[in-house]
Every structure is written in C-alpha cells, then in structure tokens.
C-alpha cells in the first residue's frame, strides 16, 4: 500500500465461488462491510480481475461512473478516486486478487503498472504456498487419532467448515472450535473464527439473538 500511496489495500482469496477478504490495510471491519466475502460473479473491479485474469485500472472518479456505475455512489461515499485490482496468479491458477484504493485521481504509467503486476505475482506465489501449507496441516490433523488432538489440531479441522460459510458448516466448525477452546481457553484464532461463525449463523439463520451473545 505505502509503495503506491494507496489509501487502502485488501487481499482476497478465492474460496469456492467467492472472494473472501484475507488481509487488509487501511480499512476497518465496518468499512470493509459487505466486501468481506463477495461472489465471483459480482461485477466489480476485484471480482472482474480474479474472474477474467486481468488487471483493472480506474484512474478517476469519472472512471468509476463510466465502468462501474452501480458502484460509483459507494466509491464516492468512501472518498475513492483511483482504484486498482489485480489477479493473484500462481502457475495456471488464479488464487485471489488484490484491491488498492486511492483518495485522489491518479494516472498509472507503464512503470506503475509493471511494478504492480510484479508485486501481484509475488503475492500470488506466496498465497499459493500458504494454501498448500494450510492444506497439509489440515490433512495432518485429520489423520491424528481423536484422543491425541490438541487445540491447534481441532482448530485446523474446523477451518474447512469455516471457509465453506454455510449454516451447517458453521455448526460443525463451532463444535470443533468449542472443543479447542475447552482445551485452551485463551486460543485467540479459535475465538476469532467462532465469532465469525456466530455472525454468519445470525445473518443466514434468521437473526437468532442467541448468535449475538
């Protein structure tokens, strides 16, 4: 973000048919809002970049109105000028996308575009390695005998259900995360993912007040 003078930067990972926010800089949870998880079929710079495997360059507020008129009011409300979205590619696969927002209009010259593509390529490779490591750790946890599972193993077993983001999977994830927290009550990643699952159950399950407690 600092290299380009962007107001905010968000890295998204492809999870099934969605883009899920993986890391962000310059945005609060409230500001990220509905963009925490967005269907790939949505028309937006970041989803278009991931789906079509091409960068999207928006250099002005007028560019938002011209290319994404349905998003222009939100961009104006957030104070966005220019915006950039780039696919994160590893080999033949698109593994995610990165979105940069600027508070002023900006022209992106050839050097800017080359630098952005190079950084996106490096980020894509790093994300792919992290995904492989995560899958390997989850598989290791799955193979362990139940009586030998520790809090981290239970957390790893819960992750695929957390990422699936359905009501049933949230229930399964919460059972595993609860078991992890029984073993290690201060385990912050388990607390964080459990809170996410309760939020999703609240939003998708009819706004049950029990999920807000």
């Amino acid at each position: 973000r600092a290299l380009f003078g962007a107001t905010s930067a968000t890295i998204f990972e492809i999870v099934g048919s969605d883009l899920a926010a993986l890391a962000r800089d310059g945005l609060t949870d409230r500001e990220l809002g509905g963009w925490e998880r967005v269907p790939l079929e949505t028309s937006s710079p970041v989803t278009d970049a991931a789906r079509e495997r091409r960068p999207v360059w928006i250099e002005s507020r007028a560019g938002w109105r011209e290319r994404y008129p349905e998003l222009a009011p939100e961009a104006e409300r957030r104070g966005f000028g220019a915006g950039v979205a780039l696919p994160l590619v590893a080999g033949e696969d698109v593994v995610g996308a990165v979105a940069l927002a600027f508070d002023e209009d900006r022209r992106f010259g050839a050097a800017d575009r080359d630098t952005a593509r190079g950084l996106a390529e490096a980020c894509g490779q790093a994300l792919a390695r992290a995904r492989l490591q995560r899958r390997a750790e989850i598989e290791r946890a799955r193979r362990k005998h139940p009586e030998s599972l520790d809090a981290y193993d239970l957390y790893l077993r819960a992750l695929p259900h957390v990422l699936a983001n359905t009501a049933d999977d949230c229930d399964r994830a919460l059972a595993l995360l609860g078991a992890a927290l029984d073993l290690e009550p201060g385990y912050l990643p388990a607390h964080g993912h459990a809170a996410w699952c309760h939020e999703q159950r609240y939003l998708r399950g009819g706004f049950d007040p029990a999920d807000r407690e």
Side-chain angles (χ1 to χ4, degrees):
R1 175 170 79 103
L3 179 62
F4 288 97
T7 305
S8 64
T10 308
I11 295 174
F12 294 86
E13 177 183 12
I14 291 179
V15 179
S17 59
D18 295 343
L19 276 181
L22 185 65
R24 66 185 183 278
D25 186 15
L27 287 176
T28 64
D29 287 344
R30 183 179 294 275
E31 289 169 334
L32 188 58
W35 293 97
E36 188 160 353
R37 189 168 181 132
V38 58
L40 275 167
E41 64 186 16
T42 303
S43 176
S44 73
V46 71
T47 49
D48 288 352
R51 191 178 59 252
E52 300 173 12
R53 198 179 175 133
R54 63 173 179 83
V56 176
W57 311 91
I58 300 174
E59 297 185 323
S60 66
R61 292 173 173 82
W64 282 101
R65 294 191 293 271
E66 178 182 346
R67 299 183 62 179
Y68 297 97
E70 68 284 358
L71 295 178
E74 180 179 356
E76 184 173 353
R77 185 174 66 254
R78 290 170 176 257
F80 292 168
V84 178
L86 301 111
L88 301 181
V89 179
E92 297 299 316
D93 299 323
V94 178
V95 295
V98 59
L100 301 172
F102 302 79
D103 57 9
E104 300 289 343
D105 294 354
R106 174 170 174 168
R107 297 282 296 177
F108 297 103
D112 290 330
R113 298 185 181 218
D114 287 345
T115 300
R117 289 190 184 98
L119 288 174
E121 181 179 350
C123 187
Q125 296 292 334
L127 178 55
R129 288 193 297 270
R131 283 159 65 107
L132 286 173
Q133 181 178 1
R134 184 174 64 197
R135 288 171 188 158
E137 290 185 339
I138 290 170
E139 185 58 32
R140 176 192 61 78
R142 283 175 175 163
R143 289 197 299 265
K144 289 188 74 170
H145 293 295
E147 62 271 15
S148 65
L149 292 173
D150 59 21
Y152 181 61
D153 294 324
L154 290 161
Y155 166 77
L156 289 173
R157 285 191 172 193
L159 277 184
H161 299 297
V162 174
L163 295 173
N165 200 33
T166 69
D168 288 343
D169 278 291
C170 282
D171 289 341
R172 297 186 184 99
L174 285 168
L176 291 163
L177 293 169
L181 291 169
D182 286 342
L183 293 173
E184 193 172 331
Y187 191 24
L188 293 181
H191 279 291
H193 281 88
W196 162 259
C197 287
H198 281 296
E199 179 186 9
Q200 294 310 300
R201 287 208 318 187
Y202 177 73
L203 294 174
R204 298 169 182 270
F207 302 100
D208 184 348
D211 287 315
R212 299 191 65 181
E213 296 177 357

